[in-house]
Amino acid sequence: MKKFILLAIASILTNLVSAQRVEVTPTFGYTFSGTVKGYYGTYDVQNAMLYGAKLDVEFIDLTYFELSYRRNDPTLEYITSSLDYKEANTGTAHYMAGVLRELNNGTFRPYGVINLGLTRYWDKGDSDFRKWFFSTEFAIGTKIFITDYLGFRFQASVTTPWDFDGGGIYWGIGGGSSANLTFGVPIAHWDLSGGIIISLPD
């Protein structure tokens, strides 16, 4: 996982040398998650504010290599099969790399994004739960430029972490209890976000 992140950063730095355009975008927004049902109970990941940043490097006309990070801190509600209710404060972070393709280079620039990367989950409480998943992200959005070097970015995206080994999630919440969930896609994160684009001079 660390090798993946280092390779993505190295690729970005290499492309910076010959980049036609470089954009940096701090982002803020909101994540809509959902529930996952398992044999031992149901996890409900609450919706939460998100924040992060994106670095986009144009390597051919209208096409960018994108490196992004975003995080939120949702409350996780867990209802056991015996209807016991438990709650935990958690963290979710997405580390993604991929391609952004614009439809034109005017003032309004609709685009699509395909990213691959890693999603990390952790418990901020007494549990020692930490887990990484391979993830995919698909997004659509638009950029609106008010000058050549300053604009706004609005995006809707879905990120899906994948579990290939069938190990599921083991998460103890209070009292040492735990649950075993086995599924292909643990949960889908639906994001609505916006940010200010700062484009570096060519």
Side-chain angles (χ1 to χ4, degrees), residues 24-46:
V24 178
T25 310
T27 56
F28 299 90
Y30 201 73
T31 296
F32 302 87
S33 295
T35 61
V36 177
K37 295 182 179 180
Y39 179 79
Y40 296 98
T42 301
Y43 286 105
D44 185 2
V45 181
Q46 298 297 295

Side-chain angles (χ1 to χ4, degrees), residues 55-175:
L55 175 63
D56 293 273
V57 179
E58 187 178 25
F59 60 93
I60 59 175
D61 289 344
L62 305 180
T63 306
Y64 296 74
F65 181 73
E66 179 172 279
L67 187 64
S68 68
Y69 167 81
R70 69 185 187 280
R71 168 181 170 162
N72 57 28
D73 300 279
T75 298
L76 175 71
E77 297 179 352
Y78 175 57
I79 302 175
T80 68
S81 55
S82 58
L83 301 182
D84 293 329
Y85 174 84
K86 298 179 181 181
E87 187 176 281
N89 294 319
T90 69
T92 302
H94 307 283
Y95 309 84
M96 311 299 292
V99 176
L100 179 149
R101 174 70 178 184
E102 295 176 340
L103 298 185
N104 60 57
N105 60 359
T107 300
F108 294 87
R109 304 182 185 183
Y111 65 84
V113 179
I114 299 177
N115 279 333
L116 304 177
L118 301 168
T119 294
R120 179 169 66 103
Y121 298 98
W122 69 96
D123 187 352
K124 296 180 179 180
D126 297 332
S127 168
D128 60 355
F129 176 82
R130 304 285 187 278
K131 191 154 187 179
W132 294 78
F133 288 93
F134 170 78
S135 298
T136 55
E137 178 189 16
F138 300 94
I140 57 173
T142 188
K143 301 176 184 178
I144 304 172
F145 283 92
I146 56 178
T147 73
D148 288 341
Y149 303 112
L150 187 66
F152 299 96
R153 175 170 172 168
F154 302 97
Q155 178 172 299
S157 65
V158 58
T159 302
T160 50
W162 296 82
D163 181 9
F164 293 106
D165 58 16
I169 290 180
Y170 295 82
W171 200 323
I173 304 176

